[in-house]
Amino acid sequence: MSYSVQINGVVHTVTDGGIGESLLYALRERLGFPGSKNACEQGECGSCSVVVDGALVCSCLVLAAACDGREVVTIEGLGDGSTLTDVQRAFVEAGAVQCGFCTPGLVVAIDRLLAEQQSPDELAVRESISGNLCRCTGYGRILEAVARVVAERATS
Amino acid sequence: MTSSTTMTAGARVGESAVRPDAPPKVQGRFAFGNDLWADGMLYGATLRSPHASARILSIDIAPALAIAGVHAVLTSDDVPGRSVFGLEHPDQPVLASDVVRYVGEPLAVVAADDPDTARRAVVAIAVDYEVLPPLVDPEAAPSATPIHPDGNVFRELTIRHGDVDSVGEVVVEGEYEVGMQDQAFLGCESGLAIPDRDGAGVEMFVSTQFLHVDVEQTAACLGIAVERLRATVAGVGGAFGGREDISLQVHVCLLALRTGRPVKMQYRRDESFVGHVHRHPARMRYRHHARRDGTLVKVEARLVLDGGAYASTSSAVLANATCFAAGPYRVPNALIEGIAVRTNNPPCGAMRGFGNVQACFAHEAQMDRLADELGIDPVDLRLRNALAPGDRLVTNQLLTGAAPVEAVIRACAQAPLPDIVGPAMGEPMARPGGAGRTAAGEPDRVVRGVGFAASIKNLMFSEGFDDYSTARVVVEDGRVTVHCACAEVGQGFVTVAQQIAREVLDLDDVVVAPADTSVGSAGSTSASRQTMMSGGAVEGACRIVREQIDTDRDAGRSMSGRYEATYEHHHAPTTPLDANGQGDAHAAFAFAAHRAVVDVDLDLGLVRVVDITTAQDVGRLINPLQAVGQIEGGIAQGVGLAVMEELVVRDGRIVNASFTDYLIPTALDMPTVTIAALIEDPEPNAPFGAKGIGEPPCISSVAAVAAAIRNATGRPVRRVPVRPEDLVL
Ligand code: FES
Ligand code: FES
């Protein structure tokens, strides 16, 4: 089946998509956006987090064809490829990255969180990223990265 | 120690360097094994046994081959080389032929145009089984009919130390159990194999911990020379022991060689849960003898580890559990029996902490029991018996390296209790059960408890294994390239290698080349060994290069040429254990202490771990920021084992093989972690005095949480993970 979806500002058309394919599958296997990860493919880990029409979703739970005409932002759409966003930079500098498999999903989720709330307290941050599993870090440096971005944005 | 840590570009040893792979990882540009792609690539899939024990009467692959888009369906008949693999003893079939011994055992592999077709082909293969009753009770395994030609006992090890008949004035006994934990790394198993043009060799990109041994095992099964199998570590999404043994390596190469096309395999989460080995479930019986003043007299223990269907690393895990069954304490007399057995349960092997985790849960529960019996403060009891340099382990090994056991215990115990609001005042979300609570609960039915535990972990490989790592270092035009086959699985070796090279060479521009088989083995990324072993190899190679450069400089020659050295670093030799479990079997040790604070809902049996405070013996900090990350991450896995993580196995079948049912800590489950102290007591003969730091965080953290739950509830807590029914029924 065929559909068109705007990804990071550019319209992509899929002409030979399978009926039940998830947005995650289409992104990774058909459209050349492997940045979104696939740790569970059943909505439990958040490694596939993307933004569809402004809402944070697990792309593994969204039918690709249902995104016809919608706007999707993936990890590849944050920053301009060479410079890092403040969230990405904070992840790097705070030591929030180990294996990195959870990282794209977490960066997308936190980018979205901070777009909606300027200064969430720690419990709110924990709650809001509790759908993004990380097996390596224990989340401490990730929370630190978020705190740094919040502090930086408050002073700039 | 935490928020003030700043990163330094061009960082040297002791500074918080930023990972070179972090920028691509935050941008989604870092290629993991399952992101790999090759022109004309096929997708592989695996047929697995639905039975824990069955005879295979027939396998009919014709219906699978008939499906359009299927290029190969292979069974055991198609394995040209050695039909079995295994890290310690090759006893596990590449593809089962006559019997299956666990649920999930591979029988056939398929290559097809796309993943969906490959999976449909797997379903189409018709297998006729004669189902047999599975052997699932580890205690019954030694005397049961053998389920494998090698028998049902992987290893028995008895430690007899001092006077095994001595008796203490006070004796405490206990029985303990540890459930099966999964590594649950986020990036599932994945690999890509590309056949050579001549069809006689293959190139493999694989998410692994132990590249060179993957290649040895895989080449043997393929029936090709190791030189014909070139391999590169593909981006690894975590490992924690679960990638030490091979999974899809032989399968993906077989398919590539058979089809003449590149083949990619990647497991899905449910398949990953059966596709790698797990932490051994353990049953442990203990008897501690002490004098009235608290001095330990003797430890008696019997530990039974369920190794599941195949050997993997069971015998080494058993050695750890047995050798360290008494913990980081001076124990003059000991009688400790360990046995690792074969059953039709899922195979078990390496997981972070490797045998010490199970034993620590038991020996620390015993220390608390003893303290209780004697009316001594639990921390004082531990201090009274803490190992120190010059003491002997129950294996009679003299402690010659750094052993700041007293320092870690004191630092952790003396840290002020965290100022975290109690359950009565806390936010609803911060109560046990969080937003998912099913009862409002009176505030006084939520109680707080504090528990303490300490641990010992051997570092690097033990028991006479010739453990080494290789590094090649090239300096050209002031740029340093480090080439080492050490698998970067997230732990941060790429940063450590840069820091060591900069430190030794006094040059800033250091690149770490991809880890592949064009350089000698670096051994496994396990046993907390890579900072010490591959760090030592990088240091050694850099020192040789530095000498070459200095010689040129001193002779007034130009230093603009090319310098190169390869260095193989071995740790000091160890010896096997003798018939009484005595010997200098271990290379080095690290110690840690953890204090846990928990809130427990007495009605619902729900636990919230509020804080973990720790002190750890690190030798020398190479990268403080990464050390914090290892400690927090390891504690998360310890907290997981203590209160939530268990593969529930019924009749040999894992019934919760998904992240819906196998729960790992989320950001809401994780407590704050307070690092009271990182004790820098340099280890002799280690690079810069550094000790491995990856495993200790997940050892005594488990025991500390269990102790805190005992303290809160008065329940015995003989088993981890602690389940609600253990606390309320
Ligand atoms: S891959 Fe989508 S939530 Fe796990
Ligand atoms: S960094 Fe490995 S899963 Fe988060």
Side-chain angles (χ1 to χ4, degrees), chain B residues 147-354:
Chain B
I147 57 169
H148 187 283
D150 295 350
N152 292 351
V153 176
F154 294 127
R155 185 177 187 182
E156 272 185 286
L157 174 61
T158 300
I159 291 176
R160 292 181 199 84
H161 181 63
D163 174 9
V164 296
D165 296 320
S166 56
V167 178
E169 293 165 345
V170 177
V171 178
V172 293
E173 290 187 2
E175 285 190 30
Y176 306 95
E177 206 178 306
V178 174
M180 187 185 287
Q181 188 180 20
D182 191 74
Q183 296 83 355
F185 40 72
L186 276 210
C188 293
E189 289 82 351
S190 54
L192 170 70
I194 303 174
D196 291 350
R197 260 178 223 288
D198 66 5
V202 64
E203 178 159 26
M204 172 170 67
F205 300 83
V206 66
S207 298
T208 181
Q209 290 176 245
F210 203 171
L211 188 68
H212 280 71
V213 166
D214 278 8
V215 166
E216 276 171 31
Q217 295 209 63
T218 305
C221 296
L222 297 174
I224 63 174
V226 279
E227 303 76 49
R228 294 307 312 261
L229 174 53
R230 298 170 323 283
T232 302
V233 178
V236 184
F240 318 116
R243 302 187 208 262
E244 190 163 44
D245 224 328
I246 61 175
S247 55
L248 50 68
Q249 282 84 335
V250 183
H251 300 159
V252 75
C253 290
L254 277 176
L255 289 170
L257 286 170
R258 175 60 72 93
T259 60
R261 305 253 304 254
V263 177
K264 173 171 160 179
M265 289 186 97
Q266 54 182 334
Y267 290 175
R268 299 204 302 195
R269 180 57 53 187
D270 55 345
E271 188 172 20
S272 178
F273 273 110
V274 296
H276 58 254
V277 296
H278 311 290
R279 187 186 302 293
H280 289 73
R283 294 183 198 175
M284 300 167 285
R285 277 206 306 275
Y286 269 76
R287 192 178 292 138
H288 274 57
H289 298 250
R291 294 211 304 252
R292 288 235 167 266
D293 65 2
T295 309
L296 288 172
V297 171
K298 184 173 73 167
V299 171
E300 294 173 85
R302 178 172 165 80
L303 301 96
V304 180
L305 301 187
D306 184 351
Y310 294 105
S312 188
T313 51
S314 274
S315 73
V317 173
L318 180 79
N320 273 17
T322 310
C323 289
F324 303 104
Y329 308 112
R330 213 176 308 110
V331 175
N333 310 297
L335 177 58
I336 300 163
E337 299 169 349
I339 184 169
V341 299
R342 188 193 306 272
T343 64
N344 292 120
N345 288 321
C348 290
M351 183 175 173
R352 196 175 193 172
F354 206 81

Side-chain angles (χ1 to χ4, degrees), chain A residues 28-29 35 37-39 42 44 75 81 88 92 97-99 126-127 133 135-137 139 141 144 148, chain B residues 5 19 25-27 32 34-35 43 182-183 186 269 429 490 629 632-633 637 645 658 660 665 667 670:
Chain A
R28 289 179 54 79
E29 305 289 338
K37 299 302 170 208
N38 53 350
Q42 56 177 204
E44 294 289 353
I75 184 68
Q88 288 170 324
V92 172
V97 179
Q98 290 188 29
C99 84
R126 284 180 184 266
E127 207 280 321
L133 298 177
R135 189 54 159 169
C136 300
T137 67
Y139 308 101
R141 300 308 92 205
E144 167 66 17
R148 286 189 190 189
Chain B
T5 313
R19 301 178 65 101
K25 283 177 174 175
V26 296
Q27 292 176 303
F32 291 92
N34 45 11
D35 298 328
Y43 292 81
D182 191 74
Q183 296 83 355
L186 276 210
R269 180 57 53 187
M429 188 68 86
E632 290 173 335
Q637 293 179 3
E645 289 185 35
S658 75
T660 311
M670 249 319 265

Side-chain angles (χ1 to χ4, degrees), chain B residues 465-548:
Chain B
F465 187 89
D466 180 18
D467 197 7
Y468 72 95
S469 175
T470 318
R472 180 160 66 230
V473 169
V474 175
V475 176
E476 200 163 18
D477 302 325
R479 162 174 271 219
V480 185
T481 303
V482 176
H483 196 181
C484 179
C486 168
E488 170 59 60
V489 302
Q491 82 277 26
F493 176 72
V494 286
T495 331
V496 165
Q498 286 183 318
Q499 292 177 264
I500 290 176
R502 289 188 193 117
E503 180 77 29
V504 177
L505 293 166
D506 197 18
L507 293 168
D508 281 338
D509 186 6
V510 179
V511 174
V512 179
D516 62 27
T517 47
S518 67
V519 62
S521 178
S524 175
T525 296
S526 65
S528 302
R529 67 181 283 288
Q530 288 296 19
T531 294
M532 302 179 83
M533 296 304 303
S534 292
V538 171
E539 183 197 8
C542 287
R543 290 208 189 280
I544 299 170
V545 168
R546 177 79 200 242
E547 257 175 53
Q548 297 165 359

Side-chain angles (χ1 to χ4, degrees), chain B residues 419-455:
Chain B
D419 182 22
I420 295 174
V421 288
M425 297 94 78
E427 286 253 7
M429 188 68 86
R431 289 192 192 164
R437 290 168 61 84
T438 54
E442 295 298 313
D444 64 353
R445 297 294 290 160
V446 178
V447 294
R448 181 159 285 188
V450 180
F452 191 87
S455 58

